[in-house]
Amino acid sequence: MEYAIEFFEIQEIFAKRVSGVTGIPLEDALLKYTSCYKRIGIEDWDFNPSHPRWQFFIDRIKGGQSVAEAAYQLSGAGPDVTKKTQRFGCMGFDCRGDAVVMHFRNDFSSPRVPYRDIRFLPGS
């Protein structure tokens, strides 16, 4: 099931409020009082704070991404950022920290628009 980002924004607001009222860390409030653990694609019911996918989610938040945005992307609504390289025809990208690295390959068999007809130099 695909969730709207607003679904995760409500959970972020709620978790921040729980954290503020109870004094527990935000990541504990997210784990204990929201559905983020399950919505980001973790199959088990252990609610294990050491689960690699949960840690990936928490690392993104600690890196400055909003809870809602991180959960939305990991829920499957956006590209699967846990995979090394995403491809679209002859283009690809992967994330390295805060940087997005673009890749191009000479793939003229792709049904998507290849770059063979684009001229980059004047007069070419």
Side-chain angles (χ1 to χ4, degrees), residues 27-39 42-51 54-55:
E27 59 191 78
D28 290 347
L30 288 165
L31 184 66
K32 294 178 182 180
Y33 300 104
T34 72
S35 68
C36 289
Y37 185 87
K38 296 299 289 177
R39 300 298 162 248
I42 301 174
E43 299 290 326
D44 67 49
W45 287 94
D46 297 335
F47 295 93
N48 176 5
S50 299
H51 189 285
W54 182 257
Q55 284 303 306

Side-chain angles (χ1 to χ4, degrees), residues 1 7 11-12 16 26 31 36 44 47-49 65 72 76 81 85-86 92-94 99 104-106 113-114 120-121:
M1 177 175 197
F7 173 79
Q11 295 201 39
E12 179 177 4
K16 285 180 177 178
L26 176 61
L31 184 66
C36 289
D44 67 49
F47 295 93
N48 176 5
Q65 189 172 29
Y72 177 73
V81 293
T85 300
Q86 300 289 316
F93 73 91
D94 64 78
F104 299 93
R105 69 177 173 198
N106 222 359
V113 179
F120 292 100
L121 300 173

Side-chain angles (χ1 to χ4, degrees), residues 44-78:
D44 67 49
W45 287 94
D46 297 335
F47 295 93
N48 176 5
S50 299
H51 189 285
R53 191 161 177 96
W54 182 257
Q55 284 303 306
F56 183 70
F57 171 64
I58 296 302
D59 288 346
R60 292 174 67 120
I61 295 164
K62 287 180 178 177
Q65 189 172 29
S66 77
V67 170
E69 201 172 90
Y72 177 73
Q73 289 176 350
L74 290 173
S75 74

Side-chain angles (χ1 to χ4, degrees), residues 15-24:
K16 285 180 177 178
R17 181 72 175 140
V18 168
S19 178
V21 168
T22 64
I24 66 173

